[in-house]
Amino acid sequence: MQEPELAGRVALVTGAGQGIGEAVVRALVERGARVAAVDRNAEGVKELEAEFGPATVTAHPADVTDSAAVDEVVDRVERETGPLGILVNVAGVLRTSPVVDLGDEDWSQTFAVNTTGVFHTSRAVARRMSGRGSGCIVTVGSNAAGVPRAGMAAYAASKAAATMFTKCLGLELARTGIRCNVVSPGSTDTAMQRGMWGGDPDAPDRVVNGDPASYRVGIPLGRIAAPGDIADAVTFLVSDRARHITMHDLYVDGGATLRA
């Protein structure tokens, strides 16, 4: 029987308590990895640990905006579980507002999680990976980083910054054998997405069909992504099947950005 493709590898996933992050944890476990699940939502990651058992998934409640807490988690994982070979940055927040109404705190918190959090985790893990000469880092960005979205300036700008940071990191680390890539989802069926709908039963149809009033095209493939669709892209990029891919931004949006 063939060994799972990620058997023996240790992964750290942020934003693991729900949505895309939870789906990434499940996909990595299915492929044989041991996973450190990080989220400031302690309940979500503890449920994953209880489901899979601490030999497979360990829960690490932590806030990625706190660099000391991130360093402590990475130290603990390396000490108790093993050398990290995979990092997946999923933790993110969304604050929607027209720019003229956007508050300083909303702007700051969006960047603190979506951009600075990626910096904290990537720096902590890369310091250890670089000495070993191997490893994969994937940042889950957004297709909003590549196309303007009304009411989403803070989110889009923070994801664009995280995307370019990850590519620059990939360039710096390429000679050490570490690969750094980005997965950019479009509309995905998560609590974050549903939070933008405000209970409107017609909102999903507008997402799929487009909304000319907000200069937004629809989804050519005709459906909203499932979290597992994004997780499959992540697991491909951290696998040996993608061993010659780095600094790449893989859009998983059903064609919504009409990206060339």
Side-chain angles (χ1 to χ4, degrees):
M1 184 175 179
Q2 188 174 7
E3 190 175 51
E5 66 178 350
L6 299 179
R9 301 193 194 182
V10 179
L12 188 151
V13 180
T14 71
Q18 63 180 346
I20 292 172
E22 179 186 347
V24 169
V25 171
R26 295 182 181 280
L28 291 171
V29 167
E30 182 181 347
R31 290 158 178 79
R34 290 176 293 163
V35 182
V38 178
D39 202 304
R40 63 185 178 186
N41 170 17
E43 182 179 355
V45 291
K46 287 180 178 178
E47 287 177 357
L48 283 170
E49 180 178 289
E51 177 181 347
F52 289 105
T56 301
V57 175
T58 53
H60 300 272
D63 187 339
V64 296
T65 68
D66 183 340
S67 62
V70 168
D71 287 339
E72 183 178 339
V73 167
V74 171
D75 282 339
R76 180 181 170 193
V77 172
E78 292 247 330
R79 186 174 62 252
E80 297 180 359
T81 306
L84 282 163
I86 297 168
L87 167 65
V88 187
N89 294 302
V90 187
V93 296
L94 171 65
R95 308 283 176 87
T96 57
S97 171
V99 171
V100 295
D101 299 322
L102 185 64
D104 292 351
E105 182 64 17
D106 284 335
W107 176 270
S108 296
Q109 281 300 306
T110 300
F111 271 82
V113 177
N114 296 357
T115 307
T116 306
V118 170
F119 164 64
H120 288 159
T121 53
S122 298
R123 178 181 63 181
V125 172
R127 283 171 171 168
R128 292 157 176 84
M129 285 182 175
S130 59
R132 296 190 285 263
S134 65
C136 301
I137 295 173
V138 173
T139 296
V140 174
S142 171
N143 67 353
V147 63
R149 297 290 195 209
M152 296 177 65
Y155 181 78
S158 69
K159 289 294 190 177
T163 294
M164 187 52 69
F165 166 80
T166 302
K167 290 182 178 182
C168 289
L169 181 65
L171 181 60
E172 292 181 5
L173 298 178
R175 290 289 185 177
T176 71
I178 299 168
R179 298 185 295 104
C180 302
N181 291 292
V182 178
V183 171
S184 292
S187 297
T188 305
D189 192 0
T190 64
M192 180 184 288
Q193 176 69 216
R194 290 175 177 269
M196 293 191 292
W197 296 347
D200 181 357
D202 297 325
D205 288 337
R206 281 200 300 274
V207 171
V208 172
N209 296 324
D211 183 9
S214 63
Y215 309 101
R216 183 167 184 158
V217 301
I219 303 175
L221 282 182
R223 70 177 182 88
I224 295 172
D229 296 323
I230 316 307
D232 284 343
V234 170
T235 54
F236 165 70
L237 286 172
V238 302
S239 76
D240 289 342
R241 290 174 291 147
R243 66 180 185 175
H244 206 56
I245 300 174
T246 194
M247 295 178 280
H248 182 65
D249 187 0
L250 175 58
Y251 274 49
V252 186
D253 67 354
T257 52
L258 307 180
R259 186 173 170 87

